[in-house]
Amino acid sequence: MVRDETVLDGGVTHYLKYTWKKKLIMSGLVAMTALLSLYAISAGSAELTPWQVVLTLLGRTEGQSQIIIWSIRLPRVLAALVAGIGLAVAGAVMQNILRNPLAAPSTLGIAQGAAFGAALAIIGWGAGSTPSSGGGALLINSPYIVTISAFVAAMLTTLIILFLAQYKGVSPESMVLAGVALGSLFSAATMLLQYFTNDVNVAAVVFWTFGDIGRASWGELGIMSFVVFGAMLFFLFNRWNYNALDSGTETAKGLGVNVERTRQLGMFVASLITATIVSFLGIIAFIGLVAPHLVKRLIGGDNRFLIPASGVMGALLLLAADTLSRRIIAPVVLPVGAVTSFLGAPLFLYLLVRGSKLR
Amino acid sequence: MILSVNGVEFRYGCRTILENIGFTVRRGEFLSILGNNGAGKSTLLKTLNKILLPQQGSIYVGQQELCKLSRLSIALKMAYVAQNYGSNRQTVFDAVLLGRKPHIKWEATAADLALVQGILVKTGLAEFALRYLDELSGGELQKVVIARALAQEPEVLLLDEPTSNLDLKNQMEVLKTIRTAAKEKNIAVVAVMHDLNLALRFSDKFVLLQDTKVFVAGGSEVMTAENITQAYGVSVSVDRVQGQTVVIPR
C-alpha cells in the first residue's frame, strides 16, 4: 500500500516538474521582454541611461527626459508590446481552431479586408488626401475615418468567412478557403481603387499598409489594450476547449466541447484583435504566424501554456522588430511591417527545416 | 438501466443508415455492436453520444433523454472513444488529463492529477507518462485514449473498434483493461467490434446489425451459427474450444 502511494505521488511530482519547466521558460521570456523594453525606452536620438528611464518611470525626474519618455517612447513601446501580444495570441488560436499551421490574420483575408477599408476611406472618401475645395470638411485628412473604415471592413470580412463556413458545418477547411478567397477578392478591389486614383492617394494607401507602431498614442493604446486583454481572458477561459480540439473533432465533442460554437467564437475574437490592431497600426505580417510556432518548439502545444507564452513571444518579437526599425539606419525609421516580414521569412524557413519532427 | 435505445432512425438525406434500432444496457455490462462494414455500427455509436442526432426514436441515459442534455452534461455521463484519434505532440499525462476536462472548472486540481496518475498505473502507462503521443506504438496509443475515457469517470463508455490495428497481445490487454474497469467502476460498455471471437470472449450482450436494422439482439444465446451466417452472409460454425466459444467461417 505504501509502495502504491509512492508510485502515485512520484508520477504526479514528475508531471509537476515538467510543467514547472514550461513556466520557467515563460518567465525567461517575460524577463527578456522587460529588459528589451528598458533598452527600447532608453535608446533613441536623445540617449538616456536605463537608470534615468527607471527614475523617470517612477516619477523621480523632471524636464526633457520626462517628456520624451512619457509622450513618445513609452506609448510606442507599450503599443509594440500590446500589438505583439494580440497578433501572436490571435495567430495561436487561429492555428488551433483551423487545424492549419499557416493560419494567421495575414493569410486569412482579414488584413486584406482592413487594407481595402483603408483604401476606400482614403481614395473613395478623400479621408487621407490633401484638402480639396469639393470635399466634405469632416472627411478630409481624418485618420479616424480611415481607422474606422479599415476596422469595419476587417470585421465584415470575418463575418462573411463565418457565414460562408456555416454551409459546411463550420469545418476548418471551409473557413480557410473562404478566408483565402476573400483575401484575394479584397486585394483585387484595393488594386482597382488604386488604379483609378491619383498618385497622392496611391501613396497614402501604400503608406497606410506599412505597419507603423508610432501611430499609436495613449488613446489608441487604451483601446487596443482593452480589446487584447479582454480577448486574452476569453482565450484562457477556453484553453481546455482548444486542447480538446487538438485531439480531433469527435474526441472534443465526446469531452463536452461545443465544437462549432468554440470555432466560431474563437475565430470572431481572434479577428476582432487583428482588426483593432491592423486598423490602428497598419499591416504587421508574420508575428501571428511565427510567434506561436517558436513557442511550440520551446514548450509544446498545450494551450494552457501556449496561449500566454505566444503572447509574450509576440511582444518580444514585435518590440525587437520595432526597435530595430528605429535604430538600424537612424534617424530614418523603417516601417515595422517590412522588418517583421524580413525577420519572419528566414525564421519561418528555419522552423520549416528544423521543425519537421515537431509540430 | 443506464442506456436504453428505442426505435432510433437515422438518415443522411434520403439514404437510410439506421432503422428502428432498440436495445438496453445495464451498468457493468459489456455490449458489442456487430455487423458487416456499412451496416451502420459507427453511426449508431455516434447517435449514442449525440455526435449525430437521430431523426426518430429516443435514447435515454439513466432517466434523462439524451437529446435534451447539453454536450457538457453528456460528457459527464458518457465517454466516447473515436475510431480515428489524432496522435499529436502531447505527453501521455496531458492526453489523459484532458479526460478530466468536463470536470475541470478553471484548472486541474491535485485530485485530478492523482486520479490521472492512478489510471496510468492501472493501464500500464505510468512509465510512458511524459512520453509524447507521436512516439508511441499503436497499442500504447489505444491504451492512452481508453485511459482518457476512464479519466472522464463515465457511467457509459462508448468505443468505436477499440482493437482494430492492434496485435493479438494488445487486443487482449486492451479489452481486459476495459472489462476490468467496467466491472470495478460499474461502467456500461458499448463497443463496435469487428472480431467476433474477441466479442464473444469479452461481451455480455450483442447487437447484430444487418442492412440498417437490428437482426438480432440479446445475450450469448443469440450468437448461433444460423444468426451469424445470416447477418454476415458468410456460412460459419460456432464451436466450443477449451471453454471458449469460437466462430469459424466455413
Side-chain angles (χ1 to χ4, degrees), chain A residues 7-9 11-12 14-16 18 22 233 236-237 239-241 243-244 246-247 250-251 253-259 301-302 304 357-359, chain B residues 46 49 51 71-72 75 78 80 82 85-86 88-91 93-94 97-99 101-102 104 106-108 113-114 117-118 121 130 132 148 152:
Chain A
V7 169
L8 284 182
D9 290 347
V12 172
H14 271 300
Y15 178 72
L16 288 177
Y18 159 80
K22 296 184 178 192
L233 270 183
L236 286 178
F237 197 74
R239 64 203 190 287
W240 287 96
N241 288 340
N243 274 350
D246 263 342
S247 303
E250 279 170 4
T251 304
K253 284 185 178 178
L255 288 167
V257 180
N258 190 334
V259 171
D302 185 343
R304 289 182 292 161
K357 236 188 93 187
L358 304 173
R359 256 171 30 96
Chain B
K46 282 177 193 168
N49 201 35
I51 289 173
R71 281 239 75 85
L72 185 64
M78 287 204 249
Y80 171 83
Y85 37 83
N88 49 23
R89 194 105 186 130
Q90 190 181 28
T91 61
F93 198 108
D94 282 319
L97 182 62
L98 195 56
K101 201 220 147 271
I104 290 172
W106 174 257
E107 190 50 73
L113 299 181
Q117 179 64 18
V121 170
L130 294 183
Y132 289 107
R148 166 157 64 208
Q152 247 175 287

Side-chain angles (χ1 to χ4, degrees), chain B:
Chain B
M1 214 59 74
I2 186 69
L3 188 68
S4 48
V5 179
N6 277 306
V8 160
E9 194 168 321
F10 184 83
R11 284 177 309 253
Y12 279 120
C14 51
R15 201 161 69 93
T16 305
I17 310 289
L18 297 171
E19 264 180 285
N20 196 24
I21 306 288
F23 59 85
T24 58
V25 193
R26 284 174 210 278
R27 278 167 162 274
E29 275 180 347
F30 191 132
L31 179 139
S32 283
I33 301 175
L34 301 163
N36 277 329
N37 290 334
K41 301 185 297 292
S42 292
T43 307
L44 173 57
L45 201 70
K46 282 177 193 168
T47 62
L48 297 183
N49 201 35
K50 209 181 153 188
I51 289 173
L52 295 174
L53 264 183
Q55 279 86 1
Q56 264 179 42
S58 65
I59 298 166
Y60 279 87
V61 191
Q63 301 299 313
Q64 286 161 304
E65 198 170 359
L66 183 72
C67 65
K68 288 182 184 148
L69 294 174
S70 70
R71 281 239 75 85
L72 185 64
S73 29
I74 294 172
L76 287 167
K77 290 175 180 297
M78 287 204 249
Y80 171 83
V81 176
Q83 197 177 346
N84 304 310
Y85 37 83
S87 83
N88 49 23
R89 194 105 186 130
Q90 190 181 28
T91 61
V92 169
F93 198 108
D94 282 319
V96 178
L97 182 62
L98 195 56
R100 297 302 297 159
K101 201 220 147 271
H103 303 269
I104 290 172
K105 296 279 186 288
W106 174 257
E107 190 50 73
T109 62
D112 288 322
L113 299 181
L115 188 129
V116 167
Q117 179 64 18
I119 288 170
L120 289 178
V121 170
K122 253 184 206 155
T123 47
L125 287 167
E127 54 178 314
F128 306 120
L130 294 183
R131 224 44 105 84
Y132 289 107
L133 293 191
D134 53 10
E135 294 167 356
L136 299 182
S137 72
E140 289 155 358
L141 197 56
Q142 185 68 46
K143 281 183 204 162
V144 171
V145 287
I146 286 162
R148 166 157 64 208
L150 292 175
Q152 247 175 287
E153 294 192 302
E155 293 167 29
V156 182
L157 180 56
L158 305 172
L159 304 159
D160 202 346
E161 294 187 18
T163 55
S164 61
N165 305 321
L166 296 187
D167 56 39
L168 192 60
K169 176 171 176 279
N170 278 303
Q171 286 178 346
M172 294 300 284
E173 277 185 18
V174 163
L175 286 176
K176 271 182 194 161
T177 307
I178 294 168
R179 192 174 57 182
T180 311
K183 300 294 174 211
E184 254 176 38
K185 308 267 177 189
N186 216 10
I187 301 170
V189 178
V190 179
V192 168
M193 297 285 287
H194 258 313
D195 190 314
L196 280 171
N197 290 321
L198 283 175
L200 276 166
R201 185 159 179 162
F202 286 96
S203 330
D204 312 298
K205 274 185 164 179
F206 306 85
V207 170
L208 261 166
L209 293 184
Q210 189 203 31
D211 294 335
T212 75
K213 296 190 192 78
V214 174
F215 180 74
V216 68
S220 51
E221 75 281 355
V222 302
M223 296 298 281
T224 60
E226 297 76 55
N227 283 340
I228 296 170
T229 299
Q230 286 196 35
Y232 278 87
V234 176
S235 154
V236 300
S237 65
V238 175
D239 294 312
R240 299 279 298 175
V241 178
Q242 296 182 3
Q244 301 288 341
T245 309
V246 291
V247 177
I248 302 157
R250 273 200 282 243

